[in-house]
Amino acid sequence: NKGIAGFENAGKSLYTTLREFIENSLDSAEAIGTLPEIDITVEEVSVSQYERLIGLKAHVRLDDELYADFESEKAKAKRLAQEARKAKAAEKSGKRGGGGGGKREQAKCFYKITVQDNGKGM
């Protein structure tokens, strides 16, 4: 369960990850009876850097026409009606000044965290 583990949102996930690294480093230094020396580096990485770090290789499509989406007239009409309802609801909530109350869209952020300590390791 993400909530129990402390990973329910991006901010809390970063905090939980850092806290775990620090606690592990402190425990490791305590196990060998020395004062802890902990170096922590947190760096934001772009989506392409993140994909490279996890080994995801980007590829280029040779023929984009093979991947063109086909949408029937019925599906198109349904999609347009749904978009119109959403636009009308957004317009209505904007006029009231309520701001909607829905989830905000956020850009994805990725972080690389490096921790070095003087503990005995695993």
Side-chain angles (χ1 to χ4, degrees), residues 39-98:
D39 293 321
I40 301 171
T41 306
V42 179
E43 54 187 300
E44 188 172 359
V45 296
S46 67
V47 174
S48 61
Q49 289 172 319
Y50 171 73
E51 289 174 348
R52 202 171 28 250
L53 283 170
I54 65 169
L56 186 63
K57 294 182 181 178
H59 64 279
V60 178
R61 292 184 174 159
L62 300 177
D63 188 0
D64 283 333
E65 290 182 23
L66 293 174
Y67 299 94
D69 289 336
F70 173 76
E71 185 175 40
S72 68
E73 289 299 320
K74 184 177 178 182
K76 184 177 179 179
K78 183 177 178 181
R79 178 180 54 82
L80 291 174
Q82 188 177 26
E83 288 174 0
R85 282 193 303 275
K86 284 183 181 179
K88 189 174 183 179
E91 183 180 316
K92 197 181 267 189
S93 67
K95 286 181 180 177
R96 287 185 303 194

Side-chain angles (χ1 to χ4, degrees), residues 25-41:
S25 296
L26 292 172
D27 290 344
S28 182
E30 182 182 31
I32 61 173
T34 185
L35 291 174
E37 292 178 23
I38 306 169
D39 293 321
I40 301 171
T41 306

